[in-house]
Amino acid sequence: MKKTLRILGIRGVPAAHGGFETFAEHLSRYLVANGWRVVVYCQVDGVGGIVTDVWEGVERVSIPVSQSGPRGTIVFDWHATAHAARHQDLCLTLGYNTAIFCARLRLAGVRNLINMDGVEWKREKWSAPAKLWFWLNDWAGCLIGNHLVADHPEIKRHLTTRVDAKKITTVPYGARDILAAPVELIHNFQLTPREYFTVIARPEPENSLLEIVRGFSLRRRGKVLVVLGNYDPANTYHRRVLDAASPEVRFLGAIYDNEVVGSLRFYSRAYVHGHQVGGTNPSLVEAMGAGNAVIAHDNKYNRWVAGESALYFRDADSIARLFDEASSLDGSQAVRAMAEGSKRRFAENFTWDKVLREYEELLLQYA
């Protein structure tokens, strides 16, 4: 009989909603190629019964949900967990936002590994009730899951305040290695290779967008800062970021075409990463896979991922000085050395081959 894995906690495959979906797509294909049966639960809009189909050798269980937003996700997770509890297959739950539902799996004797993601309840953007919900589910995931996956050593350190370290395995996020990219895709935005910096992040205070844009805009640089993400002038924080921008800052909106984003990364002079919380951030790993020099917010999460070859900032003034260095002609050689360091660290730790192999080795212990 084939080894079977059921994947819960995401919107579905193929990926369309973010890092966990992208990971699930890669893991599903990898396991199917290695002889596994993989079942992925998918959330779809609407009403009606559960529909099953096969995509790229992966079985999909599509559950229609009429509610939208977080409420719809909670309803979907409840039904997906109930469906998985009727089988005795190994489960992998990606994220702990509704980990309390995993009690159904535990009571049914179903083995369930949980990727505990970041420390969601510490994020500033959430209201007090939301933070309480995430905090409770953080504890629930730790206690209910048969085994936990941390994507960063600091996340594992956090989880060891709840459970024994033997119950936790650290496996980071992965990304593809970009060795070439179509240059005409950046020409469509009137950009010149190595003459711009990139920022790809949700416009939230904890991602340092205001500090990055302010620091870049303090003086004329002869370079462009390319910012990807949805900015709504009606949002107070978004408005502050937009108002702080000099004419050399370009807001391109949200771009979901992987080939376009890959080209923007590949030809960038450096990638700027302002995330202050979380574990191994997919956007940072993807930038390293594209061979980007990295300028990152100075914290324990980013320092472990980007390593010693990156430059680190704390505020608008400190990143302004780093932009000075990286924009200068003399800084070009230093930027190339940073890029080479990113590529080495990526190859050692964050390739999909390495990450997926480590996941399969862990899953085999429970299959």
Side-chain angles (χ1 to χ4, degrees):
M1 292 179 62
K2 284 187 176 181
K3 300 176 290 293
T4 299
L5 176 70
R6 295 177 181 266
I7 299 178
L8 303 96
I10 60 169
R11 298 279 189 90
V13 294
H17 295 281
F20 264 151
E21 280 77 15
T22 300
F23 164 70
E25 180 177 325
H26 282 280
L27 180 64
S28 298
R29 286 172 159 168
Y30 177 88
L31 293 177
V32 167
N34 285 357
W36 288 67
R37 173 184 175 231
V38 180
V39 181
V40 178
Y41 288 90
C42 304
Q43 179 180 344
V44 296
D45 296 331
V47 295
I50 293 175
V51 176
T52 61
D53 66 358
V54 178
W55 171 83
E56 299 280 340
V58 179
E59 297 178 35
R60 299 190 298 184
V61 178
S62 295
I63 300 176
V65 177
S66 59
Q67 297 90 338
S68 61
R71 180 176 295 181
T73 300
I74 291 172
V75 171
F76 165 71
D77 286 346
W78 174 257
H79 288 299
T81 307
H83 188 281
R86 297 200 293 267
H87 306 271
Q88 284 298 311
D89 301 324
L90 176 65
C91 289
L92 173 63
T93 301
L94 299 176
Y96 65 83
N97 293 354
T98 55
I100 188 67
F101 297 164
C102 293
R104 299 187 71 161
L105 300 175
R106 194 69 185 245
L107 291 172
V110 175
R111 292 153 296 173
N112 179 35
L113 282 66
I114 304 178
N115 184 311
M116 293 298 290
D117 200 12
V119 189
E120 195 69 21
W121 52 270
K122 285 189 175 181
R123 298 187 187 277
E124 293 181 16
K125 66 179 180 178
W126 299 119
S127 64
K131 287 183 177 181
L132 177 60
W133 171 260
F134 289 131
W135 182 81
L136 291 172
N137 277 283
D138 187 345
W139 271 100
C142 289
L143 299 176
I144 295 172
N146 295 88
H147 196 80
L148 310 178
V149 180
D151 71 3
H152 192 288
E154 290 298 330
I155 299 298
K156 179 174 182 177
R157 189 169 290 114
H158 159 69
L159 297 175
T160 56
T161 65
R162 282 118 161 81
V163 295
D164 192 285
K166 294 178 181 177
K167 190 178 179 178
I168 310 162
T169 299
T170 302
V171 186
Y173 190 82
R176 63 191 178 112
D177 190 0
I178 301 178
L179 302 176
V183 71
E184 60 269 17
L185 294 180
I186 72 161
H187 289 163
N188 292 338
F189 299 104
Q190 290 76 53
L191 295 171
T192 303
R194 313 305 171 203
E195 293 299 305
Y196 64 93
F197 300 86
T198 53
V199 183
I200 304 175
R202 292 188 181 94
E204 298 165 354
E206 66 190 30
N207 292 340
S208 311
L209 272 305
L210 185 58
E211 292 88 339
I212 292 168
V213 171
R214 276 181 175 168
F216 185 85
S217 302
L218 281 176
R219 58 189 63 88
R220 179 169 174 77
R221 301 191 178 279
K223 301 288 184 292
V224 175
L225 177 65
V226 172
V227 182
L228 271 62
N230 282 320
Y231 285 79
D232 179 2
N235 178 292
T236 301
Y237 182 75
H238 296 189
R239 180 77 260 167
R240 292 176 68 195
V241 176
L242 294 169
D243 289 345
S246 74
E248 293 181 309
V249 180
R250 299 265 306 278
F251 294 91
L252 301 187
I255 299 176
Y256 299 106
D257 187 310
N258 288 332
E259 190 174 25
V260 174
V261 175
S263 289
L264 286 169
R265 292 188 193 280
F266 185 76
Y267 292 104
S268 177
R269 190 177 188 88
Y271 176 71
V272 186
H273 187 74
H275 290 62
Q276 299 177 26
V277 296
T280 300
N281 182 269
S283 188
L284 177 54
V285 174
E286 288 162 5
M288 294 167 65
N292 285 165
V294 171
I295 300 172
H297 184 272
D298 191 1
N299 60 66
K300 56 192 176 183
Y301 301 107
N302 295 338
R303 279 192 174 272
W304 181 81
V305 176
E308 296 181 358
S309 64
L311 297 176
Y312 296 94
F313 71 93
R314 286 283 184 178
D315 51 29
D317 289 335
S318 59
I319 196 172
R321 292 190 292 271
L322 298 182
F323 278 130
D324 291 343
E325 296 175 22
S327 299
S328 69
L329 185 62
D330 291 342
S332 297
Q333 186 173 351
V335 167
R336 284 195 294 271
M338 291 166 61
E340 290 169 3
S342 289
K343 203 69 173 175
R344 283 195 302 272
R345 182 145 181 84
F346 172 82
E348 291 168 359
N349 297 280
F350 305 112
T351 64
W352 277 128
D353 282 347
K354 181 177 186 298
V355 168
L356 299 178
R357 185 172 63 252
E358 290 179 5
Y359 261 95
E360 185 180 23
E361 289 171 357
L362 175 62
L363 294 168
L364 283 170
Q365 296 177 34
Y366 292 85

